[in-house]
Amino acid sequence: MVEIVVNVMFLFQVIKVYNEDNTSKAVEVPTDVTARDICQLFVLKNHCIDDHSWTLFEHLSHLGIERTIEDHESVMEVSSGWGMDSDSRLYFRKNYAKYEFFKRPLDFFPDHMVSISTETNGLVDHSELIQTFLKSSTCPEIHGYLHAKEQSKKSWKKFYFVLRRSGLYYSNKGTSKEPRHLQLFADFSDSHVYTVLSAKKLHGAPTEFGFCVKSTKCSSARDLKLLCADDEQTRTCWITAMRLLKGKYGLFKNKAKITTLPFQRSISENSLVAMDFSGQKTRVIENPSEALSVAVEEGLSWRRKSCHRLSGHGSPSAAQSSVPNIAIHLAQPWFHGKLSREEAQRLIIQQGLIDGVFLLRDSQSNPKTFVLSLCHMQKIKHFQILPVDDEGELFYSLDDGHTRFADLIQLVEFYQLNRGVLPCKLKHHCAQITL
C-alpha cells in the first residue's frame, strides 16, 4: 500500500522513506518538496557527509523495477502516479554513479555506440558530449543492438536500436537508419527509464541486464516496454543517455548548476598523500614502503594507547589487549559482516558500478578470513584477505603476506592511498545507515 497521509492544511504531507534493510522513517514535508530536499533532510538527520551521491529511488515492487529520482523532481508528483493497491516505495541510499558521467563520459559512452545525429552531420566530441545532450538543437545518437520483449508475448527479439532527440527507434531492416525502416519504440516526454531487477526470472529475458521505459500513466507489467542488453556497460550507456534525454524536459536544465556541482570540488584520488609530522617541518612521504611502515607503526601505537585506556577502566584486561586488533573493524561503515557474495554484488550494483566502490565482509568459505569486494570497469571482483601468523602476532594480507597489516582498518587505509595488487584504489565504501 502507498503510505501517504494528507495534512488537513494540504500544505504538508507525511511520506515514508525506506532504507536498504527495509527499516523506514515517516517525515512531514511540504507538498513542493524535491528529491534533493529529502536527501538533504536525511543526510542532516543521520549526520552523513553530503557528497551528492545520496539518492532517492522510486521502487515499484509489484513491477520489479526501480529508478533514480532526479534531484529536481517533485516527490509528490512521483508518488501521485502510484496505484492505491501497489507496493510502491521511496528508498534512500548511496548511488556513486549518479553524476559520474559528468566527470568520466568516456566510461559511460563507448565510441562504437555514439555519434552525432544525422541532423548535424559529424562525429561527437567526447569533451562536449554531455553539454551536447542538453542542447535543445542537437543530441548525440546512441545506437546498437538490444533485445526487446514483444508486446503480449513471452518471446524476445534482437533489433538494432537508435536513440534520438525525438525518441527511441528500432530498425525493421538490419542496421538501416533510413526513416522508412525506423519504427518508434518509445518517446520520453511522459515516460521514465527504469532498471529491471530480475529480468530473467520475471520476464524470461536472455540476460539479467534488463531495463524498461514506463509511461507515468502505466500501472501494469503488460504496459512496460521491456529491453535487455548483453552486458552492464551497454545497459548503463542506454539508461544514462535516456536520463540525459529527459533533460530536455527538465533534468539539469540550469546549466549554471552543471558547472558548479559540488562533486567537482571533491577530493581526487591523487590528492591523498602520506605525511610525516614527527620533525620540526612536515614532509610528504613519497616512498610507498616508508609510507606503509609509518602507517603500521602509527596504527600500532594508537591501538596500544587504546588498549591501555580500556584496561585501566577494567575492560578488557592487559591479557586481552589483542582483542581490539581483531575486532576493531566491526564498527567501520565499510564492514558488512556475514554478507554473501550475491548480496555483496547486489549492494555494490545498487550503489553504483564505478571504479573503487567496495566493501569488506566475512568469508563464507573460510571463517578465519575476510573478503574485499571491489568494482572495477563495471565488474565486481572479490579478493580474499588472509590472516598471517608471524611469531605469535596476527597480521592481514591481500598479497600472500608480502604486505601485512595489524588490522583491517590499516589495510583499507593503505589501499585507499595505494593501488598495490588491486586493479584500482579503494574510493567509495558501500554505506548502510539506519534511518
Side-chain angles (χ1 to χ4, degrees):
M1 290 289 291
V2 180
E3 304 189 48
I4 297 178
V5 181
V6 182
N7 189 289
V8 292
M9 297 297 294
F10 296 102
L11 297 176
F12 291 86
Q13 286 189 349
V14 176
I15 64 170
K16 185 173 280 191
V17 179
Y18 288 81
N19 191 18
E20 284 164 314
D21 61 4
N22 285 321
T23 58
S24 63
K25 192 173 187 68
V27 290
E28 188 178 53
V29 294
T31 53
D32 62 349
V33 71
T34 65
R36 179 65 186 151
D37 296 332
I38 297 291
C39 288
Q40 286 182 317
L41 175 65
F42 280 101
V43 163
L44 289 171
K45 280 181 174 291
N46 292 280
H47 309 290
C48 304
I49 296 174
D50 187 8
D51 56 3
H52 279 250
S53 61
W54 290 104
T55 306
L56 201 63
F57 285 85
E58 179 188 12
H59 182 93
L60 308 179
S61 299
H62 61 293
L63 298 177
I65 60 176
E66 72 173 20
R67 73 174 179 96
T68 295
I69 302 177
E70 306 299 348
D71 281 350
H72 73 278
E73 285 189 73
S74 164
V75 175
M76 297 310 164
E77 283 186 19
V78 172
S79 61
S80 66
W82 298 346
M84 293 303 295
D85 295 325
S86 66
D87 185 10
S88 306
R89 295 181 175 186
L90 298 172
Y91 275 87
F92 173 70
R93 65 170 181 257
K94 283 276 191 181
N95 179 16
Y96 291 110
K98 182 179 179 180
Y99 291 132
E100 189 73 5
F101 55 81
F102 279 100
K103 296 190 286 183
R104 305 166 68 97
L106 282 171
D107 290 353
F108 286 77
F109 300 102
D111 282 329
H112 68 278
M113 291 184 65
V114 186
S115 63
I116 285 289
S117 168
T118 52
E119 301 168 17
T120 55
N121 297 318
L123 293 175
V124 67
D125 180 354
H126 274 90
S127 64
E128 301 177 357
L129 180 63
I130 305 301
Q131 292 294 339
T132 308
F133 260 112
L134 301 175
K135 291 177 182 176
S136 58
S137 58
T138 62
C139 179
E141 183 180 274
I142 306 298
H143 46 78
Y145 282 100
L146 288 171
H147 304 272
K149 190 174 187 295
E150 296 186 275
Q151 289 292 105
S152 304
K153 294 183 180 179
K154 293 183 179 180
S155 58
W156 290 72
K157 281 191 175 180
K158 201 168 189 177
F159 292 99
Y160 189 78
F161 278 83
V162 179
L163 180 65
R164 290 179 175 171
R165 180 178 46 165
S166 53
L168 179 65
Y169 299 83
Y170 68 93
S171 176
N172 58 20
K173 187 176 181 181
T175 59
S176 172
K177 297 180 184 178
E178 291 185 32
R180 62 195 176 103
H181 294 144
L182 292 180
Q183 306 292 316
L184 180 66
F185 184 81
D187 72 82
F188 297 92
S189 57
D190 193 31
S191 301
H192 292 286
V193 59
Y194 291 76
T195 299
V196 179
L197 301 177
S198 299
K200 279 187 173 181
K201 181 179 179 180
L202 293 179
H203 304 288
T207 76
E208 282 292 6
F209 308 110
F211 60 106
C212 70
V213 179
K214 175 187 170 296
S215 166
T216 53
K217 300 179 179 67
C218 163
S219 59
S220 168
R222 292 191 303 271
D223 300 322
L224 299 178
K225 297 185 177 180
L226 292 159
L227 296 162
C228 181
D230 286 327
D231 54 65
E232 183 58 52
Q233 186 182 36
T234 302
R235 176 169 71 169
T236 299
C237 178
W238 285 103
I239 291 178
T240 306
M242 291 173 188
R243 282 181 62 201
L244 284 166
L245 187 64
K246 284 289 291 181
K248 299 185 183 300
Y249 306 102
L251 171 62
F252 310 126
K253 257 193 170 178
N254 185 347
K255 292 182 176 58
K257 288 184 179 179
I258 295 171
T259 57
T260 58
L261 281 171
F263 59 67
Q264 293 181 332
R265 301 192 299 271
S266 64
I267 300 172
S268 75
E269 61 181 278
N270 297 318
S271 65
L272 296 170
V273 294
M275 301 288 292
D276 178 11
F277 296 96
S278 59
Q280 291 183 342
K281 292 183 178 180
T282 59
R283 67 183 181 92
V284 176
I285 302 176
E286 297 180 351
N287 186 320
S289 299
E290 183 186 1
L292 175 61
S293 175
V294 170
V296 171
E297 179 55 37
E298 182 73 17
L300 290 173
S301 173
W302 176 80
R303 283 159 182 78
R304 279 195 294 269
K305 292 176 184 177
S306 299
C307 295
H308 179 72
R309 287 197 302 269
L310 286 169
S311 64
H313 288 83
S315 61
S317 65
Q320 298 171 313
S321 62
S322 61
V323 173
N325 280 16
I326 298 173
I328 197 168
H329 58 271
L330 295 175
Q332 299 305 308
W334 39 254
F335 187 74
H336 290 257
K338 298 184 183 301
L339 201 68
S340 70
R341 183 188 185 97
E342 292 73 23
E343 289 170 331
Q345 293 190 166
R346 179 187 58 80
L347 187 56
I348 291 175
I349 289 171
Q350 283 184 341
Q351 301 203 3
L353 286 173
I354 63 172
D355 288 359
V357 176
F358 76 98
L359 61 84
L360 269 71
R361 56 189 175 87
D362 291 316
S363 172
Q364 288 190 310
S365 57
N366 189 341
K368 294 183 179 180
T369 65
F370 301 95
V371 177
L372 166 67
S373 298
L374 172 67
C375 179
H376 179 245
M377 300 292 287
Q378 296 186 332
K379 294 182 179 178
I380 301 169
K381 302 179 180 180
H382 306 273
F383 303 88
Q384 200 164 48
I385 302 171
L386 298 173
V388 178
D389 192 321
D390 186 2
E391 297 181 355
E393 287 193 68
L394 183 65
F395 295 92
Y396 295 99
S397 177
L398 269 172
D399 54 7
D400 296 323
H402 295 292
T403 313
R404 303 178 182 184
F405 304 92
D407 54 53
L408 297 182
I409 295 179
Q410 287 184 6
L411 183 146
V412 168
E413 289 176 348
F414 176 79
Y415 287 106
Q416 285 175 325
L417 296 172
N418 308 275
R419 192 182 80 176
V421 296
L422 298 175
C424 64
K425 296 177 187 177
L426 307 182
K427 298 177 188 176
H428 312 290
H429 68 267
C430 283
Q432 285 185 304
I433 63 168
T434 302
L435 296 179

Short mmCIF file of all heavy atoms in Angstrom, two decimals, residues 304-334:
data_model
loop_
_atom_site.label_atom_id
_atom_site.label_comp_id
_atom_site.label_asym_id
_atom_site.label_seq_id
_atom_site.Cartn_x
_atom_site.Cartn_y
_atom_site.Cartn_z
N ARG A 304 47.84 0.55 21.01
CA ARG A 304 48.42 0.26 22.33
C ARG A 304 47.86 1.24 23.37
O ARG A 304 47.51 0.87 24.49
CB ARG A 304 49.95 0.36 22.27
CG ARG A 304 50.61 -0.88 21.70
CD ARG A 304 52.10 -0.88 21.99
NE ARG A 304 52.80 0.20 21.30
CZ ARG A 304 53.34 0.07 20.09
NH1 ARG A 304 53.26 -1.08 19.44
NH2 ARG A 304 53.97 1.09 19.54
N LYS A 305 47.72 2.53 22.95
CA LYS A 305 47.16 3.53 23.86
C LYS A 305 45.69 3.21 24.17
O LYS A 305 45.24 3.34 25.29
CB LYS A 305 47.27 4.93 23.24
CG LYS A 305 48.70 5.44 23.13
CD LYS A 305 48.74 6.78 22.41
CE LYS A 305 50.17 7.26 22.20
NZ LYS A 305 50.22 8.53 21.43
N SER A 306 44.95 2.80 23.13
CA SER A 306 43.53 2.47 23.31
C SER A 306 43.37 1.31 24.28
O SER A 306 42.52 1.33 25.17
CB SER A 306 42.88 2.11 21.97
OG SER A 306 42.97 3.21 21.09
N CYS A 307 44.20 0.28 24.11
CA CYS A 307 44.11 -0.90 24.98
C CYS A 307 44.47 -0.54 26.42
O CYS A 307 43.86 -1.02 27.36
CB CYS A 307 45.04 -1.99 24.47
SG CYS A 307 44.57 -2.63 22.85
N HIS A 308 45.47 0.35 26.58
CA HIS A 308 45.89 0.75 27.92
C HIS A 308 44.74 1.49 28.63
O HIS A 308 44.46 1.26 29.79
CB HIS A 308 47.12 1.65 27.83
CG HIS A 308 47.59 2.14 29.17
ND1 HIS A 308 48.22 1.32 30.09
CD2 HIS A 308 47.52 3.38 29.74
CE1 HIS A 308 48.53 2.01 31.17
NE2 HIS A 308 48.11 3.26 30.98
N ARG A 309 44.06 2.38 27.87
CA ARG A 309 42.94 3.13 28.47
C ARG A 309 41.82 2.18 28.85
O ARG A 309 41.20 2.31 29.91
CB ARG A 309 42.42 4.18 27.47
CG ARG A 309 43.34 5.36 27.31
CD ARG A 309 42.57 6.53 26.67
NE ARG A 309 42.01 6.16 25.38
CZ ARG A 309 42.64 6.31 24.22
NH1 ARG A 309 43.87 6.80 24.22
NH2 ARG A 309 42.05 5.98 23.09
N LEU A 310 41.53 1.20 27.99
CA LEU A 310 40.45 0.25 28.28
C LEU A 310 40.76 -0.59 29.50
O LEU A 310 39.91 -0.80 30.36
CB LEU A 310 40.20 -0.65 27.07
CG LEU A 310 39.48 0.02 25.89
CD1 LEU A 310 39.55 -0.90 24.68
CD2 LEU A 310 38.03 0.33 26.25
N SER A 311 42.01 -1.09 29.61
CA SER A 311 42.35 -1.96 30.73
C SER A 311 42.36 -1.17 32.03
O SER A 311 42.07 -1.70 33.09
CB SER A 311 43.73 -2.61 30.48
OG SER A 311 44.75 -1.62 30.43
N GLY A 312 42.65 0.15 31.94
CA GLY A 312 42.64 0.99 33.13
C GLY A 312 41.23 1.13 33.71
O GLY A 312 41.07 1.41 34.88
N HIS A 313 40.22 0.95 32.84
CA HIS A 313 38.83 1.05 33.30
C HIS A 313 38.20 -0.32 33.52
O HIS A 313 37.01 -0.43 33.72
CB HIS A 313 38.00 1.83 32.28
CG HIS A 313 38.30 3.29 32.26
ND1 HIS A 313 39.36 3.81 31.54
CD2 HIS A 313 37.70 4.34 32.89
CE1 HIS A 313 39.39 5.13 31.70
NE2 HIS A 313 38.40 5.47 32.52
N GLY A 314 39.03 -1.35 33.44
CA GLY A 314 38.54 -2.67 33.79
C GLY A 314 38.02 -3.49 32.63
O GLY A 314 37.52 -4.58 32.84
N SER A 315 38.09 -2.98 31.37
CA SER A 315 37.61 -3.78 30.24
C SER A 315 38.29 -3.32 28.95
O SER A 315 38.14 -2.18 28.55
CB SER A 315 36.10 -3.62 30.08
OG SER A 315 35.78 -2.26 29.83
N PRO A 316 39.06 -4.18 28.31
CA PRO A 316 39.42 -5.51 28.76
C PRO A 316 40.71 -5.46 29.55
O PRO A 316 41.32 -4.43 29.66
CB PRO A 316 39.61 -6.26 27.43
CG PRO A 316 40.12 -5.21 26.50
CD PRO A 316 39.48 -3.93 26.92
N SER A 317 41.18 -6.59 30.04
CA SER A 317 42.42 -6.65 30.81
C SER A 317 43.60 -6.63 29.86
O SER A 317 43.47 -6.77 28.66
CB SER A 317 42.45 -7.93 31.64
OG SER A 317 42.50 -9.06 30.78
N ALA A 318 44.79 -6.46 30.41
CA ALA A 318 46.01 -6.44 29.61
C ALA A 318 46.18 -7.74 28.85
O ALA A 318 46.68 -7.77 27.73
CB ALA A 318 47.22 -6.20 30.51
N ALA A 319 45.75 -8.85 29.46
CA ALA A 319 45.88 -10.15 28.79
C ALA A 319 44.99 -10.23 27.56
O ALA A 319 45.22 -11.02 26.67
CB ALA A 319 45.52 -11.27 29.77
N GLN A 320 43.94 -9.39 27.52
CA GLN A 320 43.01 -9.40 26.39
C GLN A 320 43.30 -8.27 25.42
O GLN A 320 42.49 -7.98 24.56
CB GLN A 320 41.57 -9.26 26.91
CG GLN A 320 41.13 -10.40 27.80
CD GLN A 320 39.80 -10.08 28.44
OE1 GLN A 320 39.59 -9.00 28.97
NE2 GLN A 320 38.88 -11.03 28.41
N SER A 321 44.46 -7.62 25.55
CA SER A 321 44.73 -6.43 24.76
C SER A 321 44.81 -6.69 23.27
O SER A 321 44.75 -5.78 22.48
CB SER A 321 46.04 -5.79 25.22
OG SER A 321 47.12 -6.69 25.02
N SER A 322 44.94 -7.95 22.87
CA SER A 322 45.00 -8.24 21.43
C SER A 322 43.61 -8.27 20.80
O SER A 322 43.47 -8.22 19.59
CB SER A 322 45.68 -9.60 21.19
OG SER A 322 44.94 -10.63 21.81
N VAL A 323 42.56 -8.32 21.60
CA VAL A 323 41.19 -8.42 21.06
C VAL A 323 40.82 -7.22 20.21
O VAL A 323 40.28 -7.38 19.12
CB VAL A 323 40.18 -8.62 22.20
CG1 VAL A 323 38.75 -8.55 21.67
CG2 VAL A 323 40.44 -9.96 22.89
N PRO A 324 41.08 -5.95 20.63
CA PRO A 324 40.69 -4.82 19.79
C PRO A 324 41.30 -4.89 18.39
O PRO A 324 40.69 -4.47 17.43
CB PRO A 324 41.21 -3.61 20.57
CG PRO A 324 41.23 -4.07 21.99
CD PRO A 324 41.62 -5.50 21.92
N ASN A 325 42.55 -5.41 18.26
CA ASN A 325 43.17 -5.51 16.94
C ASN A 325 42.37 -6.42 16.02
O ASN A 325 42.36 -6.23 14.82
CB ASN A 325 44.59 -6.07 17.08
CG ASN A 325 45.57 -4.99 17.49
OD1 ASN A 325 45.16 -3.93 17.95
ND2 ASN A 325 46.85 -5.27 17.32
N ILE A 326 41.71 -7.43 16.60
CA ILE A 326 40.96 -8.38 15.79
C ILE A 326 39.58 -7.85 15.45
O ILE A 326 39.11 -7.96 14.33
CB ILE A 326 40.85 -9.73 16.54
CG1 ILE A 326 42.25 -10.31 16.76
CG2 ILE A 326 39.98 -10.71 15.77
CD1 ILE A 326 42.26 -11.55 17.63
N ALA A 327 38.93 -7.22 16.41
CA ALA A 327 37.52 -6.87 16.23
C ALA A 327 37.26 -5.39 16.00
O ALA A 327 36.11 -4.98 15.87
CB ALA A 327 36.74 -7.34 17.45
N ILE A 328 38.29 -4.57 15.89
CA ILE A 328 38.09 -3.13 15.80
C ILE A 328 37.39 -2.73 14.50
O ILE A 328 36.77 -1.69 14.40
CB ILE A 328 39.45 -2.40 15.93
CG1 ILE A 328 39.23 -0.94 16.26
CG2 ILE A 328 40.30 -2.57 14.67
CD1 ILE A 328 40.48 -0.21 16.67
N HIS A 329 37.44 -3.60 13.47
CA HIS A 329 36.82 -3.30 12.17
C HIS A 329 35.29 -3.41 12.22
O HIS A 329 34.62 -2.91 11.32
CB HIS A 329 37.35 -4.27 11.11
CG HIS A 329 37.10 -5.71 11.45
ND1 HIS A 329 37.99 -6.45 12.19
CD2 HIS A 329 36.04 -6.52 11.19
CE1 HIS A 329 37.50 -7.67 12.35
NE2 HIS A 329 36.31 -7.74 11.75
N LEU A 330 34.76 -4.05 13.25
CA LEU A 330 33.32 -4.32 13.28
C LEU A 330 32.47 -3.05 13.27
O LEU A 330 31.34 -3.06 12.79
CB LEU A 330 32.97 -5.16 14.52
CG LEU A 330 33.56 -6.57 14.57
CD1 LEU A 330 33.22 -7.24 15.89
CD2 LEU A 330 33.06 -7.40 13.40
N ALA A 331 33.03 -1.96 13.77
CA ALA A 331 32.27 -0.71 13.84
C ALA A 331 32.45 0.16 12.59
O ALA A 331 31.86 1.23 12.50
CB ALA A 331 32.69 0.09 15.08
N GLN A 332 33.25 -0.31 11.64
CA GLN A 332 33.53 0.50 10.45
C GLN A 332 32.38 0.44 9.45
O GLN A 332 31.79 -0.64 9.24
CB GLN A 332 34.83 0.04 9.79
CG GLN A 332 36.04 0.16 10.69
CD GLN A 332 36.23 1.57 11.22
OE1 GLN A 332 36.24 2.54 10.46
NE2 GLN A 332 36.36 1.69 12.53
N PRO A 333 32.05 1.55 8.79
CA PRO A 333 30.91 1.56 7.85
C PRO A 333 31.13 0.70 6.61
O PRO A 333 30.16 0.30 5.97
CB PRO A 333 30.77 3.04 7.48
CG PRO A 333 32.11 3.64 7.74
CD PRO A 333 32.66 2.89 8.91
N TRP A 334 32.40 0.39 6.29
CA TRP A 334 32.67 -0.43 5.10
C TRP A 334 32.63 -1.93 5.40
O TRP A 334 32.72 -2.74 4.48
CB TRP A 334 34.01 -0.08 4.48
CG TRP A 334 35.14 0.23 5.42
CD1 TRP A 334 35.66 1.46 5.69
CD2 TRP A 334 35.92 -0.70 6.21
NE1 TRP A 334 36.69 1.37 6.60
CE2 TRP A 334 36.87 0.05 6.92
CE3 TRP A 334 35.88 -2.09 6.38
CZ2 TRP A 334 37.78 -0.54 7.80
CZ3 TRP A 334 36.78 -2.68 7.25
CH2 TRP A 334 37.73 -1.91 7.94
#
